[in-house]
Amino acid sequence: DTEVTQTPKHLVMGMTNKKSLKCEQHMGHRAMYWYKQKAKKPPELMFVYSYEKLSINESVPSRFSPECPNSSLLNLHLHALQPEDSALYLCASSLVGNEQFFGPGTRLTVL
Amino acid sequence: ELKVEQNPLFLSMQEGKNYTIYCNYSTTSDRLYWYRQDPGKSLESLFVLLSNGAVKQEGRLMASLDTKARLSTLHITAAVHDLSATYFCAVERTGNQFYFGTGTSLTVIP
């Protein structure tokens, strides 16, 4: 299996909702990432897990909460989001120190 | 703070022509990556450049890395319409921190 999967593909949520984005890979990669990408902008790194250790991007608001249940799974829990959080959320994985493989993304709309 | 800049930001070129996209970064890094993104899609890995002087080629695309100049180039030879996309370079820092360039939106015109 040489792909990164993400669910759901599309998500519409209100500002009071709680939802989760899911990411899975079975390539044996020990680094997994969450990115946020706004239209016509580069991806912005949000969180990195390396050997299940979290590196936090300090500019990420606490309404985003990552979780890495095991080396193959990565979740992003969303709570009390704002309309400006609407974006494409990309998950990626890699061998440590190697190229990243990206999932198809979740397109999130916050109403 | 690591800055990664690409130029041009927008590139419109005719089929059959050659052109180069430049990627400059502000601090030392020995690893540089190039990705392609089609509209509404995710990112696809094109090249991994792991050392000074590295050169990789795939089809009409060739990437190179000069770590002393902190510069990578993506050269397009005899462009075809299928190459229309946004191209990003990315620099890796320790701790698996990847920083993406501003992106170059390429349109190849028949």
Side-chain angles (χ1 to χ4, degrees), chain A residues 31 33 35 43-46 48 57 92-102, chain B residues 2 4 31-33 35 48 89-101:
Chain A
Y33 313 78
Y35 287 88
E44 297 175 48
L45 184 62
M46 299 176 72
V48 180
N57 183 326
S93 71
S94 73
L95 294 171
V96 175
N98 214 321
E99 65 186 307
Q100 296 176 306
F101 291 83
F102 282 83
Chain B
L2 175 60
V4 185
R31 298 174 185 270
L32 190 130
Y33 306 82
Y35 293 89
V48 180
C89 62
V91 173
E92 183 185 359
R93 296 289 302 280
T94 54
N96 297 311
Q97 307 258 348
F98 287 76
Y99 296 86
F100 280 77

Side-chain angles (χ1 to χ4, degrees), chain A residues 12-42:
Chain A
V12 179
M13 60 187 290
M15 290 188 285
T16 59
N17 292 158
K18 288 185 180 181
K19 296 287 185 182
S20 296
L21 308 185
K22 298 185 183 301
C23 175
E24 188 169 3
Q25 58 88 15
H26 295 287
M27 294 179 278
H29 292 170
R30 299 308 298 272
M32 296 186 75
Y33 313 78
W34 280 116
Y35 287 88
K36 173 183 178 180
Q37 187 179 27
K38 301 283 273 186
K40 302 188 184 301
K41 296 292 186 182

Side-chain angles (χ1 to χ4, degrees), chain A residues 32-73:
Chain A
M32 296 186 75
Y33 313 78
W34 280 116
Y35 287 88
K36 173 183 178 180
Q37 187 179 27
K38 301 283 273 186
K40 302 188 184 301
K41 296 292 186 182
E44 297 175 48
L45 184 62
M46 299 176 72
F47 302 106
V48 180
Y49 275 89
S50 179
Y51 292 95
E52 286 115 66
K53 178 181 177 183
L54 175 63
S55 302
I56 299 176
N57 183 326
E58 294 182 356
S59 65
V60 180
S62 59
R63 56 187 182 266
F64 295 92
S65 175
E67 179 195 17
C68 189
N70 58 57
S71 60
S72 298
L73 295 173

Side-chain angles (χ1 to χ4, degrees), chain B residues 3-4 28 71 91 101 107:
Chain B
K3 291 186 178 180
V4 185
T28 302
L71 171 68
V91 173
T107 303

Side-chain angles (χ1 to χ4, degrees), chain B residues 34-106:
Chain B
W34 283 96
Y35 293 89
R36 168 182 171 146
Q37 187 173 35
D38 291 298
K41 303 291 186 182
S42 187
L43 281 81
E44 173 190 356
S45 178
L46 294 175
F47 298 109
V48 180
L49 302 169
L50 299 178
S51 62
N52 186 43
V55 177
K56 295 279 185 74
Q57 182 163 6
E58 180 72 33
R60 300 174 187 274
L61 301 178
M62 183 174 70
S64 66
L65 178 62
D66 181 343
T67 58
K68 294 179 182 178
R70 298 176 187 168
L71 171 68
S72 179
T73 61
L74 180 66
H75 186 73
I76 303 158
T77 302
V80 293
H81 180 69
D82 286 351
L83 291 179
S84 297
T86 298
Y87 293 85
F88 292 100
C89 62
V91 173
E92 183 185 359
R93 296 289 302 280
T94 54
N96 297 311
Q97 307 258 348
F98 287 76
Y99 296 86
F100 280 77
T102 44
T104 297
S105 177
L106 171 65

